Amino acid sequence: MLAFLLACCTATAEETPVSYGRDIRPLLAKNCFLCHGPDADSREADLRLDVRAAAIANRDGVAAIVPGDAEKSALVERIASDDEDLRMPPADSGKQLTAAQIALLRKWIDSGAAYERHWALEPVRRPAIPTDPTAERNDYSRCAIDAFVSARLAAAGLHPAAEADRHTLVRRLYLDLLGLLPTIREADEFAADDRPDAYERLVDRLLSSPRLGERWGRHWLDQARYADSHGYTNDNERVMWPFRDWVISALNRDLPFDRFTIEQLAGDLLPNATAEQKIATGFHRNTLINTEGGTKVDQFRDEQVKDRVDTTGGVWLGLTVGCAKCHNHKYDPISQAEYYSLYAFFNSTADSNSVPPTIPAPTAQQQTRLDELDAGLAKLNAELATDDRRSNRQAAWEAELLRRRDERIAGKDTDGANANWTVLELDGKSGSGATIESLEDRSVLVGGENVAGDVYELTARSPLTTIRSVRLEVLTHDNLPHRGPGRAANGNFVLTDFWFRTGDGRDLRFAKAQADHSQPQYDITGAIDEDLESGWAINGSPEGGPNHDRTAWFVLAAPLEVEDGHALTFTVQHRAGPQPYNIGRLRLSISSQEWRDAPSDEELTRLVATPREKRPLAQQKRIDEAFLRGDTKLAPVFATIENVGKMRDGLLSQVASAMVMRELDKPRDAHVQKRGDFLQPAEKVLPDVPDALPGFEPSESIRTRLDLARSLVRVDNPLTPRVRVNRLWMHLFGKGLVETENDFGTQGSLPTHPDLLDWLAAEQIHQSWSTKRMLRLLVASATYRQRSEVRGPGTTADPQNRLLWRQNRIRVEGEIVRDLALSASGLLSDKIGGPSVFPPQPDGVYAFTQRAKNWRTSTGEDRFRRGLYTFFYRSAPYPMLTTFDAPNFNQTCTCRDRSNTPLQSLTVANDASLVELARALAVRVLAEAAADRTEAATIEQLFRVCMVRSPSTAEADFLAKFLREQRTHFDVDGDAAGKLSPGELPAGVSTAEAAAFVATARVVLNLDEFITRE
């Protein structure tokens, strides 16, 4: 047998020239490159076989490869040796070359040992479209795709399958393009349409549907590792849905893929970037965030940057660039230095482990209302500005305050009279390891480690059930530098962010903030703007002297309702600059009332005592507002301004804050990391792409993410267009032309149709990177329209259908499983976009997670939204999605696995949310069949709603028999499990009859065909 195989291999080698790229490089990569490849650290005997010059080099009279003479080549001598001590690969490697492979290497060396560049790194070319060899295949071909496929099939002696029937085609298109079922009417209209372009008309209609963005947005969100939580064990909630909605919108409006790329990787760096372009950068905000106490900010920032590099390499280049974190890539031309040059592009973003940069992301309706309110405020403020006698009245009012200064009884009441405060008892911890000591007055004093950018987490049990305002007092202390209240050398601090989280995971941001004093350029609003470059500081005291106690007040946009004793965790984050500017002593209080800046007469007197030209803006603002509240002429106008402002604040509290990328003003240096350890920096590197890709023009400026994004979609980039069309193909055919769609490197599989892949890549660029045009081209092909039945000579000649002699059957993803049931039930919501929702799920999902999560089951329309909108916790995903192979999105997923397990069938049959939809499906069908409620007609209606096609006689008979059995069961037992109340049923249908039909509907939903794209 071995002699026979060797003879066959030799015969094949004689007929077909040996190709280094096709035949030799994969063989060497699998068996030799680990020890004789690019990575110097793991290289043995200083021998490289991946570079021709090194492989043929004469070393002490011996060359591994002697071109033209295999017998003189040390490589052949070692791989063919009978001596186990000499034979390569060594026995302990677990690798062994076959006789056929050795013969192939001999043949290649004897023919000259020509090396070629890896196929994926060669420029994309536009090959000539082959001519079909027979008239039969000319009839089959509809476009260039078919010509390439037909020629490949003809060479293998195979024939394409016939075109699928119309009902199969319409269901296939709906599932592939929209992820939903067609109605019976839509399917029948297409089946009856005898126009020559009926199919193309259907495709165009589906491509224009807003549901397309949802279906194909899900594919992209997998690659973006989209989730609604931070990950790690705390796995707190985050707001990421504005990015998800941007993806849906971009696909629906067919944003060209090159622009789609640029806006996601660097939309914030575009000139005059819009809010939408900034929201698009949420792509790389989908990294995990660790909110556990004691985390090292620099460590997890490094991990986020590396994730962005790895994701960019996998999504756009189809390369495993992450293998070069610790050493040169062992198989592909990516050095460790080149990895960190890619790292440098992402190393200068503003990152925080708890509060990444955000921007408001109002919906269209919210933006319209905000514009209306802003216009009203502008009109009212203009009325204030046109009162030319206001300044005289205000000057007289201030003078009267000063005149009465000595006539009042002293008393400080800076809180005004409208808020009653409850001081919290705090338990604190520091991210850097500083000590936090509780004092008798319930303030906390910080000591020990004093590291720049420290983050305090202060937890208390709420004595109130309603919280609207929070008071922060920063207090002096003898143990602090210059008595504090800060820990900086001058007693100051810079508070960059202040917010809190409830025990059930709700993040609370403040709508407004006020302080009794803010240092110029460091206003208190800098502590709530979610910008880590701004913050609150207190130098420049109007009272004079170095430091004083200071108070700041923070107001939520809407009251927070909690249970008595509910845990509240306040995050106090400081500036991460070269020197530590941390708070040294503080006290927190809460109030159920909305704090309003109503200073006492004494405080007003103190404020107006400062000459106008020396007053900070915040101080002047407080004086102006106090005057306007009491001014006879302008008080009604100002009261209206305050009321409109409250309405605006309330609306803003409902506006999502989209996490975005933001570049630092001063770029960080990037270094190669020894063994991938960020604590061991080596030589400095500048932002750049690997040498294997088209490089940049010389430039004196430091390159940015925008430069990287543009380089990825250059017309001469060989990888991005190939990777993109290969994934489009994969979603429509079940596997890519390159099966290892995430690895276009030397370890990946070769393309089954290399010319077709290049033609599609070139066509994508020619079509201006339009996704919809490419989808239309693919689904319009005869190759796509083929039947999926497994029969004929292809079953033995090409059992895995690599040559595309038929279409593939594909089980839909977890989200689409429920979407199909929603579609069949008639309950599917038409709403697109918006916050994630909480469909019903089994109890106990969070019994084994570190933090109990509050799954607030949605009601009304939100209960029946598409799976794309289901709230996704990384630590405990929605159970049905996990059952059907959804990843946890801790990292990018470019291709989901497809398993086939009993649990999947049990889920479809018994999951409470699907049983609910089966009940609705039964009611729908019974109602639609009411005019002709024969048993056969009702069963056919049920089957067609789900499968589109009519049932066969055997299928109809089986369902009829099952229905009769169930009808008897419910008549006898009166089992209420599947029953519906009489008010839910069409007239004349008994609850027992309905219960039997619900059971039958559950059977149909549980059929393999229902969740399979034929």
Side-chain angles (χ1 to χ4, degrees):
M1 178 60 74
L2 180 60
F4 172 75
L5 291 173
L6 184 57
C8 289
C9 180
T10 305
T12 302
E14 290 172 355
E15 295 165 6
T16 306
V18 181
S19 164
Y20 174 75
R22 183 188 67 239
D23 305 315
I24 304 302
R25 181 191 280 112
L27 191 155
L28 294 177
K30 181 179 181 180
N31 296 283
C32 307
F33 284 179
L34 182 64
C35 299
H36 302 293
D39 183 26
D41 292 340
S42 61
R43 194 177 301 140
E44 298 289 342
D46 198 28
L47 171 62
R48 289 189 69 168
L49 294 176
D50 61 314
V51 177
R52 189 175 193 271
I56 67 174
N58 192 312
R59 302 159 68 243
D60 299 327
V62 178
I65 294 175
V66 179
D69 196 337
E71 296 307 315
K72 292 183 179 180
S73 301
L75 171 66
V76 173
E77 179 185 352
R78 297 295 292 273
I79 63 177
S81 176
D82 293 329
D83 187 338
E84 287 190 4
D85 293 333
L86 292 176
R87 187 168 60 241
M88 289 290 165
D92 60 3
S93 70
K95 304 177 185 297
Q96 184 175 0
L97 293 174
T98 66
Q101 291 171 329
I102 294 172
L104 195 63
L105 283 166
R106 289 178 184 272
K107 179 69 176 177
W108 171 64
I109 294 173
D110 283 338
S111 65
Y115 276 65
E116 306 157 7
R117 201 177 188 199
H118 182 51
W119 69 267
L121 299 175
E122 291 289 346
V124 172
R125 57 188 179 84
R126 192 180 183 91
I129 299 172
T131 303
D132 287 339
T134 67
E136 177 188 351
R137 288 186 178 80
N138 280 327
D139 292 339
Y140 159 81
S141 294
R142 294 180 178 275
C143 63
I145 293 171
D146 305 320
F148 285 107
V149 173
S150 182
R152 188 84 166 83
L153 288 172
L158 296 175
H159 299 274
E163 182 170 296
D165 65 84
R166 285 265 176 132
H167 284 101
T168 298
L169 285 177
V170 69
R171 192 176 193 269
R172 180 184 295 173
L173 282 171
Y174 267 79
L175 264 60
D176 277 347
L177 296 182
L178 308 186
L180 298 172
L181 293 169
T183 64
I184 295 175
R185 178 180 176 182
E186 289 167 332
D188 288 347
E189 286 178 350
F190 170 64
D193 191 345
D194 58 1
R195 290 174 293 183
D197 62 345
Y199 184 88
E200 287 75 12
R201 286 172 177 266
L202 173 62
V203 170
D204 289 339
R205 181 165 62 82
L206 298 184
L207 289 175
S208 65
S209 168
R211 296 300 198 181
L212 179 90
E214 294 177 318
R215 176 65 170 129
W216 287 81
R218 178 67 270 173
H219 296 321
W220 186 258
L221 293 173
D222 282 9
Q223 297 181 76
R225 63 262 193 249
Y226 171 86
D228 295 293
S229 67
H230 290 329
Y232 296 105
T233 55
N234 278 356
D235 203 25
N236 292 316
E237 294 81 356
R238 62 168 54 164
V239 176
M240 280 307 304
W241 61 262
F243 167 72
R244 177 245 289 150
D245 288 1
W246 179 89
V247 171
I248 295 171
S249 172
L251 290 169
N252 279 336
R253 66 180 189 269
D254 199 18
L255 184 69
F257 186 72
D258 56 347
R259 195 69 185 178
F260 187 72
T261 294
I262 290 169
E263 293 191 11
Q264 288 183 87
L265 292 181
D268 58 311
L269 300 180
L270 290 170
N272 303 312
T274 64
E276 287 75 18
Q277 289 169 335
K278 293 176 182 177
I279 289 171
T281 65
F283 179 90
H284 272 322
R285 278 292 165 212
N286 282 310
T287 51
L288 277 65
I289 295 177
N290 194 337
T291 59
E292 299 170 28
T295 56
K296 292 183 66 64
V297 175
D298 53 352
Q299 174 188 349
F300 287 98
R301 190 190 71 79
D302 175 73
E303 291 190 10
Q304 289 176 341
V305 175
K306 288 173 178 172
D307 173 77
R308 289 166 186 153
V309 177
D310 298 351
T311 299
T312 302
V315 170
W316 277 275
L317 302 176
L319 294 178
T320 56
V321 298
C323 294
K325 285 187 187 75
C326 307
H327 47 70
N328 293 339
H329 202 295
K330 295 184 184 298
Y331 304 104
D332 295 328
I334 306 170
S335 69
Q336 189 184 18
E338 289 174 332
Y339 178 88
Y340 286 100
S341 289
L342 286 172
Y343 177 102
F345 283 111
F346 299 101
N347 194 41
S348 294
T349 54
D351 288 299
S352 163
N353 204 40
S354 58
V355 191
T358 62
I359 64 169
T363 64
Q365 295 86 345
Q366 288 172 332
Q367 187 60 59
T368 299
R369 181 58 178 152
L370 284 171
D371 292 342
E372 292 172 353
L373 293 174
D374 286 340
L377 286 172
K379 184 177 180 180
L380 290 167
N381 281 310
E383 189 173 345
L384 293 182
T386 56
D387 184 349
D388 54 6
R389 301 185 63 81
R390 169 187 161 179
S391 58
N392 293 335
R393 296 199 305 276
Q394 185 164 339
W397 172 77
E398 291 183 16
E400 178 64 13
L401 284 172
L402 294 174
R403 186 185 67 78
R404 298 203 317 257
R405 175 172 44 191
D406 298 329
E407 299 177 3
R408 285 194 315 272
I409 299 174
K412 187 175 183 180
D413 178 24
T414 59
D415 281 350
N418 67 311
N420 297 315
W421 297 102
T422 300
V423 179
L424 296 176
E425 188 169 352
L426 302 173
D427 181 21
K429 60 183 177 181
S430 155
S432 69
T435 62
I436 297 183
E437 175 188 359
S438 296
L439 304 182
E440 289 184 3
D441 62 354
R442 293 196 174 181
S443 65
V444 294
L445 179 65
V446 185
E449 292 286 335
N450 190 24
V451 177
D454 202 355
V455 180
Y456 306 157
E457 289 190 351
L458 306 172
T459 300
R461 295 288 174 179
S462 175
L464 306 178
T465 57
T466 300
I467 302 169
R468 186 64 188 275
S469 306
V470 175
R471 180 177 67 183
L472 167 64
E473 298 172 272
V474 288
L475 307 170
T476 57
H477 194 276
D478 290 341
N479 289 354
L480 298 173
H482 286 275
R483 299 188 67 247
R487 303 189 72 197
N490 61 354
N492 202 0
F493 61 85
V494 181
L495 174 64
T496 60
D497 202 57
F498 180 64
W499 57 286
F500 71 102
R501 176 182 295 121
T502 61
D504 56 9
R506 288 174 283 172
D507 289 347
L508 280 302
R509 295 283 177 180
F510 298 105
K512 61 182 178 181
Q514 181 75 57
D516 58 357
H517 169 69
S518 293
Q519 181 177 326
Q521 310 302 317
Y522 290 88
D523 189 72
I524 183 61
T525 54
I528 63 169
D529 60 3
E530 301 183 49
D531 181 354
L532 299 185
E533 301 303 308
S534 63
W536 178 45
I538 59 167
N539 259 0
S541 302
E543 304 96 327
N547 295 302
H548 301 271
D549 294 344
R550 291 297 177 203
T551 304
W553 302 271
F554 302 85
V555 182
L556 297 170
L560 168 68
E561 303 295 335
V562 295
E563 297 178 353
D564 184 27
H566 192 86
L568 308 175
T569 300
F570 294 84
T571 296
V572 180
Q573 185 160 356
H574 303 94
R575 186 178 70 178
Q579 299 296 325
Y581 272 79
N582 305 315
I583 294 175
R585 182 185 172 204
L586 63 87
R587 181 167 55 207
L588 292 174
S589 307
I590 58 175
S591 173
S592 60
Q593 300 167 308
E594 180 181 355
W595 176 84
R596 203 164 39 82
D597 186 15
S600 65
D601 282 355
E602 180 182 351
E603 186 184 358
L604 282 173
T605 302
R606 179 177 61 79
L607 293 174
V608 301
T610 303
R612 176 178 287 270
E613 65 275 8
K614 294 183 178 180
R615 295 172 187 168
L617 290 177
Q619 181 177 340
Q620 185 62 52
K621 182 173 181 288
R622 298 191 76 199
I623 294 171
D624 292 345
E625 290 176 352
F627 165 74
L628 290 170
R629 288 192 187 99
D631 184 64
T632 304
K633 182 178 180 181
L634 296 179
V637 178
F638 186 69
T640 304
I641 289 175
E642 288 193 307
N643 288 334
V644 174
K646 287 181 181 179
M647 293 170 60
R648 189 178 188 278
D649 289 343
L651 179 57
L652 283 174
S653 72
Q654 303 170 28
V655 172
S657 294
M659 295 165 57
V660 299
M661 299 292 279
R662 182 179 298 157
E663 204 76 358
L664 297 175
D665 292 335
K666 182 181 179 181
R668 295 186 182 96
D669 289 338
H671 298 263
V672 173
Q673 296 177 6
K674 296 178 181 178
R675 307 299 300 171
D677 183 356
F678 77 102
L679 295 176
Q680 297 188 60
E683 66 269 21
K684 180 179 176 181
V685 292
L686 295 176
D688 206 350
V689 296
D691 288 343
L693 298 176
F696 295 105
E697 295 294 329
S699 173
E700 294 182 359
S701 61
I702 299 296
R703 300 183 183 97
T704 67
R705 280 182 287 117
L706 184 56
D707 296 307
L708 173 63
R710 287 170 172 161
S711 77
L712 292 175
V713 288
R714 283 173 48 164
V715 295
D716 58 346
N717 187 312
L719 288 171
T720 301
R722 287 186 174 118
V723 170
R724 173 61 174 168
V725 297
N726 189 62
R727 291 208 177 109
L728 295 180
W729 186 280
M730 175 187 71
H731 291 307
L732 295 172
F733 291 89
K735 62 180 69 173
L737 296 170
V738 178
E739 191 167 357
T740 54
E741 48 73 40
N742 63 341
D743 189 356
F744 274 49
T746 58
Q747 291 290 90
S749 58
L750 295 171
T752 56
H753 299 71
D755 286 346
L756 173 57
L757 179 64
D758 267 19
W759 187 88
L760 288 171
E763 182 66 12
Q764 178 180 228
I765 297 171
H766 177 69
Q767 295 288 355
S768 302
W769 294 92
S770 166
T771 297
K772 287 188 177 183
R773 291 180 196 171
M774 291 305 298
L775 290 176
R776 189 183 195 279
L777 177 67
L778 294 172
V779 300
S781 67
T783 305
Y784 175 82
R785 300 191 206 186
Q786 294 178 103
R787 293 178 181 173
S788 61
E789 291 88 348
V790 182
R791 60 187 179 186
T795 58
T796 53
D798 181 24
Q800 296 191 39
N801 193 31
R802 288 194 170 99
L803 301 183
L804 301 165
W805 53 273
R806 63 178 177 88
Q807 179 57 276
N808 291 304
R809 298 178 79 247
I810 306 170
R811 196 215 66 218
V812 298
E813 303 96 314
E815 293 89 344
I816 309 303
V817 169
R818 185 166 181 269
D819 287 356
L820 296 184
L822 281 166
S823 183
S825 72
L827 295 178
L828 177 65
S829 166
D830 290 332
K831 183 179 177 181
I832 294 178
S836 297
V837 296
F838 303 84
Q841 72 172 9
D843 295 333
V845 172
Y846 307 122
F848 301 100
T849 57
Q850 176 169 311
R851 182 177 63 85
K853 299 170 175 61
N854 183 20
W855 188 268
R856 304 172 296 277
T857 302
S858 298
T859 58
E861 182 181 18
D862 283 349
R863 187 183 184 92
F864 305 111
R865 300 288 304 282
R866 294 195 69 167
L868 173 74
Y869 302 114
T870 297
F871 197 97
F872 196 97
Y873 281 108
R874 285 186 162 105
S875 63
Y878 189 65
M880 180 185 293
L881 299 183
T882 303
T883 300
F884 283 94
D885 308 310
N888 58 17
F889 298 120
N890 287 342
Q891 57 191 8
T892 185
C893 173
T894 54
C895 178
R896 291 194 187 186
D897 294 330
R898 281 192 178 92
S899 65
N900 188 359
T901 68
L903 182 58
Q904 293 168 352
S905 180
L906 290 169
T907 297
V908 176
N910 301 315
D911 184 88
S913 67
L914 288 175
V915 171
E916 175 183 36
L917 298 179
R919 289 159 58 96
L921 170 61
V923 172
R924 172 191 175 181
V925 172
L926 288 170
E928 291 176 352
D932 180 17
R933 197 178 297 125
T934 66
E935 183 179 271
T938 308
I939 287 174
E940 176 159 353
Q941 180 83 346
L942 169 64
F943 194 89
R944 292 206 63 197
V945 164
C946 298
M947 310 302 181
V948 178
R949 67 177 178 87
S950 295
S952 67
T953 301
E955 290 167 333
D957 289 346
F958 172 84
L959 291 174
K961 179 182 177 183
F962 181 83
L963 176 60
R964 287 192 290 270
E965 291 173 350
Q966 294 301 306
R967 190 181 292 133
T968 301
H969 166 75
F970 284 108
D971 279 341
V972 173
D973 293 348
D975 186 351
K979 285 189 177 182
L980 297 132
S981 65
E984 298 178 78
L985 301 178
V989 177
S990 69
T991 54
E993 171 72 11
F997 205 73
V998 168
T1000 308
R1002 291 172 68 185
V1003 168
V1004 175
L1005 292 181
N1006 201 238
L1007 294 175
D1008 173 71
E1009 183 178 344
F1010 179 68
I1011 62 172
T1012 300
R1013 193 277 270 155
E1014 295 287 348

